[in-house]
Amino acid sequence: AQLQVSKTAATSLTRTYNWTIAKSVDQPTLNLFAGDSGTVNYTVTVTLTGTTDSNWAVSGTITVHNPASYAASVKSVTDSLATDGAVTVDCGTFTLPGSLAGGADINCTYSKSLPGADNQVNTATATITNSPSGTTDFTGTANVDFSTATVTPVNPSTDVSDTLGGTLGTGITSSQTFKYSQTYDCSKVTYTGGLASYTQDNTASLSVGGSDSKT
């Protein structure tokens, strides 16, 4: 029996978006007399520094068809990647070795985690026993191509909040800079004569993690 072997190869990966945040202030100190006020300008810079890919994988189906009118003695169904080696195959309820009736199919599935996004050929092999000591292999191939991979994004966007500025931005998907001003006076200072001081801590934060503070 001249078996027909066909297969699919679907690629997938996880893509993590990397963000940083930096905060600056144009006047870190104000020297005021009672009754005076001063304006401070803050700048918050959010930067998308790039992406990191991980969790590369390939999965798919293997179909072994017997076009003959008589049964074929199928010894095994295997799968192999040109670079990353053997892949475990699950043929469900079909027990190997086994007899594949004429006109019938064996439907198998496979999946494998990969160390990287190497494009390579994936080959499925169905082996039949056609004599007491002889076997014949039939193969089908599919290309493992990560240019068409299903991408699972992690942190593709972020919100930006600030202690004093409030919500500066939501759903940010690219590098951006935010500016705002804050006016200070002596109303928060407990004055007992001579010099007195008040310190305002101020933090800008990303919803995906990361913050920067200025005083």
Side-chain angles (χ1 to χ4, degrees), residues 82-104:
T83 302
D84 293 312
V87 181
T88 300
V89 176
D90 181 0
C91 291
T93 59
F94 190 90
T95 301
L96 292 164
S99 178
L100 178 61

Side-chain angles (χ1 to χ4, degrees), residues 12-16 52-57 114 152 154:
S12 61
L13 59 87
T14 298
R15 179 162 294 155
T16 301
T52 302
D53 289 348
S54 61
N55 298 331
W56 303 273
L114 304 176
T152 299
V154 176

